[in-house]
Amino acid sequence: MIKIVDMPRRMGKTTTAIEALDNNEKSVMLVPTLKYRDAFYPKEIRQRIYSTEQFMRLERVESLRFNTVILDEGLSYSKAQLAKLYYELGRRGYSIEVYATDDSY
């Protein structure tokens, strides 16, 4: 399942994504870069936050024991990155929650 939360800029997407991570101990979060993670997320939860590139390189993703992947700034990735990510996560049976702003309209 893919859940998309489309919110305007500066309306609390990251705060909402952090709350979703806090509310589900079996979730991990993906962000565009580790610099982004280090700048915007509390230290207590950073061990459950990965850059998308870092996450896709993990060979033993299953050992992390999660069932939901939260993408913050989830529409900032290229279409090819999103397709690959959605395919891999869906194939493994993970739920996906995307927090983003759609500026396409």
Side-chain angles (χ1 to χ4, degrees):
M1 175 188 81
I2 299 175
K3 172 184 171 184
I4 298 176
V5 179
D6 182 9
M7 297 172 68
R9 296 206 179 281
R10 317 272 318 150
M11 294 302 292
K13 286 183 303 298
T14 296
T15 301
T16 305
I18 290 170
E19 288 171 359
L21 186 66
D22 282 340
N23 291 334
N24 182 354
E25 292 180 8
K26 291 191 170 195
S27 64
V28 295
M29 184 182 290
L30 302 184
V31 295
T33 66
L34 293 178
K35 287 181 183 179
Y36 187 86
R37 177 198 67 185
D38 294 343
F40 297 108
Y41 299 90
K43 289 182 182 180
E44 319 67 76
I45 63 170
R46 289 183 189 163
Q47 72 276 6
R48 293 174 51 204
I49 303 175
Y50 301 88
S51 72
T52 306
E53 182 179 323
Q54 175 189 38
F55 185 81
M56 293 301 282
R57 285 194 318 246
L58 290 175
E59 294 185 14
R60 305 223 15 125
V61 170
E62 290 82 8
S63 69
L64 295 176
R65 305 221 187 263
F66 64 94
N67 58 19
T68 303
V69 176
I70 299 168
L71 281 113
D72 194 13
E73 294 301 326
L75 297 178
S76 65
Y77 304 99
S78 73
K79 291 177 185 177
Q81 285 176 310
L82 283 176
K84 183 177 180 180
L85 184 62
Y86 289 167
Y87 174 79
E88 285 300 320
L89 294 173
R91 183 176 68 83
R92 296 175 188 202
Y94 299 122
S95 293
I96 304 167
E97 294 182 20
V98 181
Y99 294 84
T101 299
D102 183 5
D103 289 331
S104 65
Y105 49 90

